Amino acid sequence: MTKQAKQKLIIRTLSVLSPLTLLILWELLARLHAIDVRLLSSPSMIVKTLIPLLLSGDLLYNTWISVQRVLWGFIAGSIPGILLGIAMGLSPFIRSAVEPMINATYPIPKLALMPLILLIFGIGETSKIFTIAIGVFYLVVINTMAGVLNIDKIYLDVAKNFRASRTNFYLTVALPGALPMIFAGLKLGMGMALILIVAAELSAAKAGVGWMIWRAYDMFDIEQMFVALITLSVLGYLFSLVLDLVERWVLPWKQTR
Amino acid sequence: MEDCILIKNINKSFPLQDKELTILHDITFSIRQGEFFCIFGPSGCGKTTLLRIIAGLETASSGEIIISQTPKDRPVNSMVFQEQSVFPWMTVLDNVSYGLRMRGIKKAARNKLAAHYIDMIGLTKFTNAYPNQLSGGMKQRVSVARALCNDPEILLMDEPFGALDEQNRLILQQELLKIWENLHKTTVFITHSIDECLCLGDRVMIMTAHPGTIKTIINIDLPRPRDIATIRTTIGYNELYQKVWLSLKDEVQRRTDS
Ligand SMILES: Nc1ncnc2c1ncn2[C@@H]1O[C@H](COP(=O)(O)OP(=O)(O)OP(=O)(O)O)[C@@H](O)[C@H]1O
Ligand SMILES: [Mg+2]
């Protein structure tokens, strides 16, 4: 085995071994009553709760509800974010008109808007989707604008020299040039969406992974809470996996080296 | 032959801190239809700025520029930029055919034309590669092909071969010479090399710096068709080289004296 291959093997083993060790330690401490299982549970107890939840379809149903909310919110936030971000990046007029508002409202925690959103949209799906959309929107719009502003000026000159029409300019220079930053914004937005879904399902929801957490809290069902938390982390992992795949597909010129 | 580009009393200044810095001062000259016109001068004398004004990417502070275009459905000018200007997000093929795409030419037709120029710059193997897989010199060749493929009325080239190795420079000079001697496309060509002026040009304009002014314009009356391999042995080559060099030396002397 070469030195490099050896190193790779060690790295791979480590990345599997270390979480495994942690799980075993957790289980051990729980069995030895070194930790309070009523609060911290144990891996075996969590699995025991997970299996019936999985088999009954309860977990999948709640996950699906949350996934839908996250996806719709993500789409509703990112598409206007990309469009406005590009417009702001390209036009100093639009930028100076909109940027102060964005800068002024960006620091407001999106959670603080929840009551207002509930009052405006009621307790239906719209309010949850809207909360997520707003969180995603800010991250995407700011990153997209920065992406457009960071496009090397020489490419604008090339487009001008080759008489690119407005539409062509958007499609061949502004959008592809800003795409790496847009993706950075989308990834941050996805993280934000997962944070917001739990909060959004706190109030006035009857299903969803976030709702499961709050229900578990009400019933003091720690195992179910852990199952929901694990589901969230799996969701987060899957979403970022999908985004990475899409990025690799849309930005082939970024990774070919 | 009639004038193609007429430049009258062009001045250009850029704001520098709180002052205006004059970059180009009272530039007047004309370029004939179908001429290969070289611009030669020290770094920072405003060659790029002048070319950008001709291209319409920059406006002069004062003065007039008249470009007479024969009525054809052809773009007026295409520029080969001095710095890296190949789109990183497009393949070599899409970069080279960019101008044609902007003109609304169908994909099959423009790819065929582009393939020809990609072959010319020796990058056929890299047709579908992205620029981050190319070396600096290869990117510069793509940039040259992109301008040629657009088939413009006027070709504007800003030190296009400056970053190339000797071998590729010779090949591309020869190719450009061949294309130009076939088509007689009006070409404005900036270079740092006297030899390159003499190999390619009909005339060379020598500029001085701070502010950029025209020192002189020299006719390069070497016979055509020319051959890169043998031009240096042509009668008259050495005299011309000396002529350009002397007017340049003048300038250097004048600046060190003062
Ligand atoms: N946008 C700008 N703003 C301010 N000054 C500029 C700008 N563009 C060019 N200049 C100045 O104008 C002068 C001429 O620049 P230019 O790029 O035309 O020189 P050049 O002759 O092409 O030089 P080189 O041979 O090194 O490419 C330089 O002193 C440069 O600093
Ligand atoms: Mg220059």
Side-chain angles (χ1 to χ4, degrees), chain B residues 17 74 84 113 160 163:
Chain B
Q17 276 121 42
R74 247 211 242 163
Q84 200 300 105
L113 255 165

Side-chain angles (χ1 to χ4, degrees), chain A residues 59-107:
Chain A
L59 181 61
L60 282 182
Y61 169 74
N62 282 305
T63 306
W64 175 233
I65 296 282
S66 290
V67 165
Q68 275 177 307
R69 287 173 182 152
V70 166
L71 284 185
W72 285 120
F74 188 68
I75 291 169
S78 53
I79 290 178
I82 291 172
L83 293 179
L84 186 65
I86 290 184
M88 285 170 70
L90 290 178
S91 156
F93 299 107
I94 298 179
R95 187 160 66 248
S96 52
V98 181
E99 202 177 8
M101 283 190 278
I102 297 221
N103 285 344
T105 50
Y106 176 60

Side-chain angles (χ1 to χ4, degrees), chain A residues 153, chain B residues 12-16 21-24 41-52 58 82 158-159 190-192 207 210:
Chain A
K153 212 182 131 318
Chain B
K12 176 74 184 176
S13 50
F14 282 117
L16 186 78
L21 188 68
T22 307
I23 302 298
L24 293 172
S43 180
C45 73
K47 303 181 295 294
T48 298
T49 309
L50 181 58
L51 203 68
R52 286 173 61 86
E58 202 99 58
Q82 183 173 11
D158 194 350
E159 297 189 36
I190 295 177
T191 174
H192 264 142
M207 291 180 71
H210 311 296

Side-chain angles (χ1 to χ4, degrees), chain A residues 138-149:
Chain A
Y138 276 94
L139 292 168
V140 173
V141 80
I142 288 170
N143 275 281
T144 304
M145 182 183 77
V148 175
L149 287 175

